[in-house]
Amino acid sequence: MTVVVALSSGLDVAAIELELGHPLDFNHELKTVGASNVLSGLLGGYTGSYIFSQSIMSLRAGIRSRTAGFVTALTEILVVLLPFPLIAYIPEMFFGSILVMIAIDLMHEWIWALRKKVSSSDYCIALFTFCVILGTNIEVGILGGCLVHVSLVGLRSEAKEMTPKRGEGQELLPDKSQENNVYFAEEKKEGDMDLAYL
């Protein structure tokens, strides 16, 4: 269960990071989840992770205060403390429609809209992972996606090692038109800066 929570927490942070558009401190976020799970375990509770869908929904609605989190926590405590089962009075069709709506939104976000947010190779890895999960199960799909990603990182680093070495009077410059930063040699002229970018 620890591995599942650690993996899902990392994915949740990545999803929130994509929505925010700027990087988050993964170590801080995972330490927060770890501390809350230790406290929950000591008090006889279950392990858990972020409700990233609520975080993303709040961001899209323009909510920037912690009040939404406190209201959610208070509502959940009240539901537990009520002397009758509140969920028994809510039609099952309501839960089914929410699940379908969440599934459609997630499919749109992670299959269609993702193509504009990541490189083409990362998008292909995401599609591959999705197809393997559909064909087998989630563990095999995530493992397959990780293996393909690690293989591509290895190929990219090998390609960088095969680039020409610096020669006399030459400087290696990154070619910005290439996705994986292929380096090429260019004659260095008098007065040129050591690093120049196209």
Side-chain angles (χ1 to χ4, degrees):
M1 205 53 196
T2 304
V3 175
V4 171
V5 170
L7 180 63
S8 64
S9 298
L11 292 173
D12 292 345
V13 174
I16 295 168
E17 187 178 65
L18 267 176
E19 185 67 26
L20 282 172
H22 63 79
L24 294 173
D25 183 359
F26 270 75
N27 285 334
H28 173 74
E29 300 298 332
L30 293 178
K31 283 177 186 176
T32 304
V33 172
S36 63
N37 278 320
V38 167
L39 185 63
S40 176
L42 291 173
L43 297 174
Y46 294 104
T47 58
S49 184
Y50 295 100
I51 310 174
F52 80 94
S53 55
Q54 181 182 346
S55 300
I56 289 174
M57 186 180 72
S58 298
L59 284 169
R60 289 179 181 171
I63 299 169
R64 295 292 185 265
S65 71
R66 296 182 180 190
T67 308
F70 290 126
V71 169
T72 303
L74 183 63
T75 304
E76 289 175 0
I77 290 169
L78 287 174
V79 167
V80 170
L81 295 178
L82 283 174
F84 58 89
L86 183 65
I87 294 176
Y89 297 99
I90 300 172
E92 289 181 9
M93 148 183 97
F94 177 74
F95 295 110
S97 62
I98 287 178
L99 286 175
V100 169
M101 191 175 72
I102 290 171
I104 290 170
D105 185 58
L106 286 174
M107 291 278 288
H108 176 266
E109 184 73 29
W110 289 100
I111 301 298
W112 183 250
L114 182 71
R115 73 195 198 300
K116 296 179 181 176
K117 297 180 181 178
V118 297
S119 67
S120 56
S121 59
D122 287 342
Y123 182 64
C124 288
I125 292 171
L127 286 179
F128 170 78
T129 305
F130 176 71
C131 292
V132 173
I133 287 171
L134 288 180
T136 57
N137 58 40
I138 192 161
E139 293 88 1
V140 174
I142 290 175
L143 182 63
C146 288
L147 289 174
V148 170
H149 179 72
V150 168
S151 302
L152 282 178
V153 168
L155 288 172
R156 287 177 186 161
S157 64
E158 189 175 309
K160 283 183 183 178
E161 289 175 8
M162 293 176 63
T163 55
K165 306 251 185 224
R166 270 180 220 228
E168 238 178 280
Q170 292 185 331
E171 189 70 33
L172 291 179
L173 304 173
D175 181 0
K176 291 292 189 174
S177 66
Q178 297 297 323
E179 182 179 276
N180 54 0
N181 286 344
V182 176
Y183 287 83
F184 63 94
E186 183 181 278
E187 287 293 326
K188 190 173 177 185
K189 298 181 182 80
E190 199 67 40
D192 280 354
M193 292 175 59
D194 283 342
L195 291 174
Y197 296 96
L198 295 180

